[in-house]
Amino acid sequence: MRIRQPLLVAALAAAALAATPAVATASDVRGTDAPDRSAHSVLSTQPSLRILAQRSGLKVGTAVNMDLYGSDAAYTRIVDQQFSTVTPENVMKWQLVEPTQGTYDWAAADRLVAAARDNQQLVRGHTLVWHSQLPSWLSTDGTTTTFTPQQVRDLLHKHVVDEVSHFRGQIWQWDVVNEAFNDDGTPRQDIFYKAYQALGMNGLDYIADAFRWAHQADPHALLFYNDYNLEFTGAKSNAVYAFVQQLQAAGVPIAGVGFQGHLDTQYGFPDLQNNLQRFAALGLKVALTEVDVRTFVQPDPAKPGSYTDVPLTPALQATQESYWKQTLQACLAVRSCISYTVWGVADSNSWIPGVFAGEGAALLFDDNLQPKPQYQDLRQVLWTTRAPHRG
Ligand code: 9MR
């Protein structure tokens, strides 16, 4: 599936960028006066992220919340208009597709895949094997299960084959295995690792199995290993770097590595481009798969104990914008970086406030689905960066 490139796109983009402010003002973005969610004047008059990204061949994506997609018109319009690839935020996870053992529910995921086809978007399948969001009949904590090791291996095989077969031919990239390593570089001791060890194998052999099974079920899908904190050079990034070389040496059909990109202004900007580059130098594709940039936000005076999605200081807002620009610039600079996906549309639907108290404002659109300066920053980067074209 390729997005057709209208001949006039570049000229239109230039004209529209010139005619509009490069960066929205704070009042454009966070105006509290009865926001009009229907108008979207900025969005409808400026070339979208997906149009601007055509210059480099980069796909720009978002995670999609299927409780909102199709029911919230403004949300749906942004997903359809701005992005050339979509990732289901939750609805392809094992817990959601097989809530009862042996009974599949593909409805929500099918709806997203169909919408993506209508909108000429590619789909990142997320995620086949993960210690979290497992169905409760299999494991309630990711580390213990009532099934025997051989049963776990058989269940994993069935799950991977059934899910990949169901979506065969419709998925561009699959996150086959997600977050298998700890920050110190050791393997995560989840039910899969423990089952394989108990069977007398290397605990990490479940990963090679999952890639091979997925490849048999859909030979054309690009199969990815996906994780967080790979952006920073350190124990985890080094461990994954060594491990994917073992997979390659063993002939495992791994096509790429996904760098989630959940950044926080308090930790400094990572050595991202070098890390993307060193994985790419192994002959792998790379992708930014879950980008968001959180920061400390202002308390909500109306609700004690709650927070707004307004950064605590203008300096933090500026740091966020700098991080957003740098993530995209790093991806654009590496020809094998084939997609750049943000983890959600608006601050109001982000996972961040639920997990990091006092932090938020992590996405490109505000609580009223109005574009933030970060959104304009990405457009500016796409327009001004000379990047190698990716096929
Ligand atoms: O954004 C997802 C959120 O809605 C879920 O509640 C959460 C469950 O752990 O998963 C979130 O997405 C995660 C992604 O699937 C894998 N990388 C980390 C993401 C944030 O937790």
Side-chain angles (χ1 to χ4, degrees):
M1 234 185 302
R2 277 187 67 94
I3 310 296
R4 306 256 169 253
Q5 296 198 28
L7 291 175
L8 289 177
V9 161
L12 288 172
L17 266 179
T20 52
V23 174
T25 64
S27 59
D28 290 335
V29 170
R30 309 189 197 108
T32 48
D33 301 336
D36 177 2
R37 295 181 65 202
S38 64
H40 280 281
S41 56
V42 174
L43 292 183
S44 53
T45 57
Q46 294 183 340
S48 62
L49 295 171
R50 69 185 285 179
I51 292 282
L52 293 171
Q54 287 181 0
R55 300 179 71 214
S56 62
L58 179 71
K59 301 297 180 201
V60 181
T62 183
V64 180
N65 177 336
M66 291 307 288
D67 293 334
L68 299 173
Y69 187 81
S71 52
D72 182 322
Y75 178 96
T76 306
R77 196 176 314 123
I78 292 173
V79 172
D80 293 350
Q81 290 181 349
Q82 295 296 318
F83 300 100
S84 48
T85 173
V86 288
T87 305
E89 184 172 1
N90 286 301
V91 297
M92 283 188 191
K93 293 171 180 172
W94 198 340
Q95 182 182 63
L96 282 289
V97 299
E98 196 182 359
T100 304
Q101 188 178 2
T103 305
Y104 289 118
D105 179 359
W106 307 112
D110 283 347
R111 197 155 57 84
L112 180 61
V113 171
R117 193 170 49 237
D118 291 347
N119 291 310
Q120 294 181 289
Q121 293 162 319
L122 300 176
V123 180
R124 293 199 80 262
H126 176 85
T127 175
L128 294 170
V129 189
W130 189 26
H131 69 93
S132 181
Q133 286 181 288
L134 291 171
S136 55
W137 56 262
L138 176 58
S139 176
T140 51
D141 60 5
T143 59
T144 59
T145 179
T146 56
F147 291 95
T148 66
Q150 187 58 50
Q151 285 174 325
V152 170
R153 190 179 188 197
D154 293 344
L155 286 166
L156 184 66
H157 178 245
K158 178 173 162 42
H159 163 66
V160 169
V161 169
D162 287 356
E163 177 146 13
V164 176
S165 299
H166 179 82
F167 295 109
R168 182 184 168 102
Q170 304 180 88
I171 303 294
W172 179 38
Q173 304 173 20
W174 262 118
D175 286 334
V176 177
V177 176
N178 193 44
E179 302 174 8
F181 287 84
N182 298 309
D183 277 340
D184 65 3
T186 58
R188 190 186 291 277
Q189 309 270 316
D190 60 22
I191 59 167
F192 310 111
Y193 185 89
K194 293 203 285 193
Y196 275 65
Q197 267 197 328
L199 290 170
M201 292 184 271
N202 182 320
L204 287 172
D205 283 349
Y206 77 89
I207 298 179
D209 268 358
F211 274 86
R212 290 195 171 106
W213 295 331
H215 184 66
Q216 283 160 10
D218 188 349
H220 295 298
L222 297 175
L223 305 184
F224 272 66
Y225 175 79
N226 190 53
D227 214 328
Y228 58 87
N229 281 349
L230 302 182
E231 304 84 20
F232 294 85
T233 304
K236 180 174 191 173
S237 187
N238 291 343
V240 173
Y241 180 68
F243 178 68
V244 296
Q245 290 176 76
Q246 290 174 25
L247 293 180
Q248 290 179 300
V252 174
I254 180 172
V257 172
F259 291 61
Q260 293 186 1
H262 294 292
L263 302 184
D264 185 325
T265 58
Q266 67 180 309
Y267 298 130
F269 190 78
D271 194 12
L272 176 59
Q273 188 176 324
N274 284 337
N275 274 297
L276 291 171
Q277 192 65 61
R278 70 170 173 156
F279 280 82
L282 299 176
L284 295 166
K285 298 184 186 311
V286 290
L288 272 283
T289 56
E290 306 184 14
V291 183
D292 51 23
V293 182
R294 62 186 183 269
T295 195
F296 295 107
V297 287
Q298 296 180 12
D300 185 345
K303 290 188 220 145
S306 296
Y307 292 85
T308 65
D309 275 310
V310 179
L312 211 45
T313 65
L316 289 175
Q317 164 72 30
T319 304
Q320 284 186 301
E321 289 188 52
S322 154
Y323 280 25
W324 276 104
K325 286 187 267 195
Q326 290 182 77
T327 53
L328 182 53
Q329 283 163 342
C331 180
L332 283 169
V334 178
R335 191 172 174 277
S336 301
C337 188
I338 58 173
S339 61
Y340 178 95
T341 293
V342 303
W343 202 243
V345 173
D347 291 340
S348 46
N349 5 104
S350 167
W351 67 292
I352 296 291
V355 175
F356 300 95
E359 293 190 77
L363 292 172
L364 302 176
F365 293 81
D366 70 12
D367 293 351
N368 298 307
L369 289 167
Q370 299 302 306
K372 294 164 56 177
Q374 288 85 323
Y375 164 79
Q376 299 295 357
D377 291 333
L378 293 192
R379 293 182 64 249
Q380 197 74 24
V381 168
L382 288 170
W383 182 244
T384 57
T385 306
R386 290 172 67 92
H389 199 276
R390 40 228 82 198

